[in-house]
Amino acid sequence: MSRARTRRTRAAAVSLAALLPLGLAACGSFGGGDDSAEGSSDGTITFWQYYGDEEMPTGAPLYDVLEKYDDQNDDVEVDIRFIPFEDFNRTLTQAAASGELPDVALINAFDTQNMAEAGVIEDISDRVEEWGEQDAYFPTGWETTQVDGATYGVPHLADAYAVYYNKDLLKQADVQPPKTWAEMEQTAAKLAGDGKYGLALSGIEGAEGATGLIIRTLADGGTIEKFGDDGGTAALESFQSMVDDGGLSKGFLTWNEEDAKNQFATGEAAMMINSATYVSILRDENPELNWGVALLPKDQTRETFLSAENLTIGEGSGDPDAAWDLISYLQKPDVLADYLPARNKLPARDDVPGTDDDPVRKVFADQLQEAWAPEGDLATHSNEAFTILQEALQATISGASDPADAAETAQSDIDEALSAS
């Protein structure tokens, strides 16, 4: 039986308890599970997500795959609720306080530890152990589901960063995609001229603008927790060098990832560092553009920043068996093979058919073998720490600070942020 898509329109209940900070709320007694709670065993699986609504390109594929599950299971109905990203964690926290958590929550992978420690999501170790498919997942993605030796989620999908390059422009300049960061600096400078640049990437204010700096720091063997050491300074010097040599526009400090894509798509930049999100977009919007993708430059490492979400079960779900059945359905390789191209993302596991058939997506899949994600206190405070990194980048490129001083200031601010745990 085919059913219409369901969308939750009721606003989340808010109580005084719901306004408690996440950690404080965890100290109290809350969570779903009573018969009056939404998501109780009534044939409805409540599913909360921040991808988008059914009219949005980022949301529609999820609605489609959940509708397929609906159609195959007459005894259940999936009730999808879209909550914008900026409101998602707060809404989950409020729902926990009022005992109205969803059966399934699709959360940012970096928030898994925080949500687990606050009692918002359930320990699903026993279900995962019986399932037995955890070894199919890329290690970095799977590690985001682990909290104190227990499993609190299943990776849903992943995204990685790599180097897009314009084949025609590189051929004209007689250069190859760079394999090291020294080569990146030289190649970007050689490709620049006549108001055009060699490289584009996001450096915009906020956490997004720190992605390139994080990748560059990791390549040099540095860490975010110890950004003030040599790795952070070297990364800032590298970006300063590319701007000074004309290989990278100073304007990248105002570009988000969509802006970087536009610079590349219009030929204003010959290369860009961006995520797999733009593979289908470039193919659809710029079919004449002759481009390829290469792995990130490698010095000590070539780790990509991992962007990912985890499927979790809300603490006290009224029907955790149904929630788990839905989660395991969404992670079937054949289901992912149909869903991921439409969602424009990569599989979090290595056994999804068709991934290697597309040479461009295969590069991103290979890049995922070397991925990095924040852990522990850094995961909890990742948004704050990454924003601090972007501020160091801003200070360096604007000339307000030299790289060493900017790295030192960032280190002090990161230490303060992490000590708040």
Side-chain angles (χ1 to χ4, degrees):
M1 178 177 64
S2 178
R3 285 185 287 264
R5 298 178 182 192
T6 55
R7 288 183 295 173
R8 178 64 56 185
T9 56
R10 175 187 56 75
V14 180
S15 67
L16 290 175
L19 300 178
L20 292 171
L22 187 61
L24 182 58
C27 298
S29 175
F30 61 78
D34 65 74
D35 290 341
S36 63
E38 177 181 31
S40 58
S41 184
D42 58 0
T44 298
I45 304 173
T46 49
F47 189 109
W48 289 10
Q49 52 87 21
Y50 56 73
Y51 281 175
D53 63 32
E54 59 185 317
E55 304 300 328
M56 300 168 69
T58 52
L62 181 62
Y63 280 79
D64 290 340
V65 72
L66 291 174
E67 187 170 6
K68 289 179 181 177
Y69 177 84
D70 238 10
D71 291 342
Q72 295 172 20
N73 296 273
D74 287 341
D75 56 337
V76 298
E77 186 170 15
V78 183
D79 187 353
I80 312 167
R81 182 181 180 190
F82 162 55
I83 303 166
F85 178 78
E86 58 271 22
D87 298 326
F88 193 79
N89 285 355
R90 176 177 53 80
T91 304
L92 271 181
T93 305
Q94 292 172 342
S98 58
E100 294 193 345
L101 283 165
D103 295 303
V104 180
L106 183 58
I107 68 173
N108 186 315
F110 306 155
D111 293 327
T112 303
Q113 177 174 332
N114 200 25
M115 292 294 178
E117 291 176 347
V120 175
I121 56 177
E122 287 193 2
D123 180 346
I124 57 172
S125 300
D126 291 344
R127 296 180 186 277
V128 168
E129 188 66 26
E130 182 178 356
W131 184 48
E133 298 188 18
Q134 52 269 46
D135 290 343
Y137 287 80
F138 295 115
T140 303
W142 188 259
E143 287 168 6
T144 66
T145 71
Q146 302 297 297
V147 180
D148 296 333
T151 302
Y152 280 85
V154 173
H156 179 46
L157 49 72
D159 203 355
Y161 289 79
V163 180
Y164 291 73
Y165 61 94
N166 184 312
K167 293 182 179 179
D168 294 334
L169 294 179
L170 265 65
K171 183 177 180 180
Q172 291 173 19
D174 193 25
V175 295
Q176 299 295 317
K179 295 182 179 179
T180 67
W181 276 95
E183 288 185 11
M184 173 62 85
E185 295 171 19
Q186 296 164 5
T187 303
K190 192 168 183 179
L191 288 164
D194 297 327
K196 300 182 189 275
Y197 298 93
L199 177 66
L201 78 165
S202 173
I204 197 169
E205 182 179 357
E208 177 184 320
T211 302
L213 184 60
I214 292 170
I215 290 171
R216 180 65 182 88
T217 302
L218 297 173
D220 205 56
T223 69
I224 307 310
E225 293 90 339
K226 298 295 182 184
F227 186 77
D229 292 348
D230 292 344
T233 300
L236 290 170
E237 288 174 343
S238 180
F239 278 96
Q240 184 182 51
S241 174
M242 286 191 284
V243 171
D244 290 346
D245 292 344
L248 175 64
S249 169
K250 195 173 183 179
F252 87 103
L253 291 172
T254 64
W255 295 346
N256 59 25
E257 292 183 353
E258 179 74 11
D259 296 326
K261 182 271 295 181
N262 290 336
Q263 293 288 320
F264 179 74
T266 58
E268 295 299 309
M271 301 183 292
M272 73 168 175
I273 294 176
N274 223 324
S275 75
T277 296
Y278 294 100
V279 171
S280 296
I281 293 172
L282 283 172
R283 287 172 172 168
D284 292 342
E285 296 181 354
N286 306 92
E288 304 302 320
L289 191 67
N290 186 20
W291 57 277
V293 172
L295 295 173
L296 291 169
K298 180 178 182 179
D299 291 331
Q300 294 190 40
T301 76
R302 60 155 48 102
E303 292 177 307
T304 178
F305 180 87
L306 175 70
S307 177
E309 287 84 31
N310 290 335
L311 290 159
T312 64
I313 296 179
E315 178 66 41
S317 164
D319 202 342
D321 292 340
W324 174 251
D325 186 73
L326 175 57
I327 288 174
S328 56
Y329 168 83
L330 289 173
Q331 291 310 112
K332 288 182 177 179
D334 61 330
V335 172
L336 290 168
D338 288 337
Y339 165 65
L340 290 174
R343 183 62 183 87
N344 221 7
K345 295 292 183 182
L346 302 167
R349 51 191 297 166
D350 64 5
D351 57 353
V352 176
T355 303
D356 292 345
D357 295 345
D358 183 329
V360 170
R361 293 190 183 281
K362 184 178 186 308
V363 173
F364 281 101
D366 290 344
Q367 183 64 69
L368 270 180
Q369 301 283 355
E370 298 180 76
W372 173 88
E375 299 177 350
D377 291 341
L378 182 59
T380 301
H381 298 282
S382 59
N383 190 64
E384 188 175 359
F386 297 164
T387 298
I388 290 168
L389 294 182
Q390 193 280 335
E391 291 170 351
L393 187 62
Q394 175 87 32
T396 298
I397 301 302
S398 68
S401 180
D402 65 46
D405 288 343
E408 182 178 354
T409 299
Q411 181 68 69
S412 176
D413 292 343
I414 289 172
D415 288 344
E416 182 177 351
L418 299 186
S419 68
S421 300

